Amino acid sequence: MAVATGVLVFGGDWLGLELEHVALLGAALGGATGVVPDRQPWERAAGLLAGALLAWLGYALRAAWLPDTSAGRGVAAMLVVLACLLIAFLTSGRLPLWSFLIGAAAVVGAYEVAYTAAPPEFVETSPTALTTVLLAAAFGFLATVFLGNTIEEERDRERGRYASDDEPDAVRPEPEPDGETARGPFWERALR
């Protein structure tokens, strides 16, 4: 992940992209999404992307209709979080709520200062912020996505959930069945 972040900064500068301001933010949030051993990688990535797009739409809503006040910012933030929650609910938790929130946080972290400085320039400035933070998140995600299963196995060993091979009398727990019944209620799945 460190190499991916360095490549983002140096490569972005070389290509004339404005990545240096969002490289660490995007790579860290994408890396967190990749390394969490929860659901399939494509489901986590889809949640991150959807959350980022919803946050971008929240800025579009602020620029077009909402006043640039605390109330306007609060309404936009509330609508973005509700939209994330609704989509997580409609997908029965297949797209985890936490990945939506990470995607939304990536866009807010990358764009809030630029938006606050010049709200009328949303159309010109927001695509750059959105694409650069998503590019950085993609690098972080790809750098860590293959570690998720390894980390899960290490945590299981640390917790003592699996007996080691040198303990012949130890009983290994039964694996959980696959499918919806193993995942539990929606709210429990969505908040994991």
Side-chain angles (χ1 to χ4, degrees), residues 1 4-10 18-30 132-133 135-137 139-140:
M1 185 157 155
T5 306
V7 167
L8 277 170
V9 173
F10 295 125
E18 299 175 16
L19 288 170
E20 26 325 297
H21 303 295
V22 297
L24 184 56
L25 171 71
L29 294 176
T132 55
V133 79
L135 177 62
F139 267 73

Side-chain angles (χ1 to χ4, degrees), residues 78-149:
M78 179 184 69
L79 291 175
V80 168
V81 172
L82 285 174
C84 291
L85 185 61
L86 177 65
I87 296 173
F89 175 76
L90 291 175
T91 62
S92 298
R94 295 284 303 173
L95 302 181
L97 177 60
W98 62 264
S99 67
F100 282 94
L101 299 176
I102 285 178
V107 170
V108 171
Y111 187 57
E112 181 64 29
V113 172
Y115 178 83
T116 303
E121 296 177 10
F122 168 78
V123 174
E124 293 84 21
T125 59
S126 67
T128 301
L130 179 67
T131 56
T132 55
V133 79
L134 286 177
L135 177 62
F139 267 73
F141 182 82
L142 290 174
T144 61
V145 71
F146 301 108
L147 297 175
N149 290 338

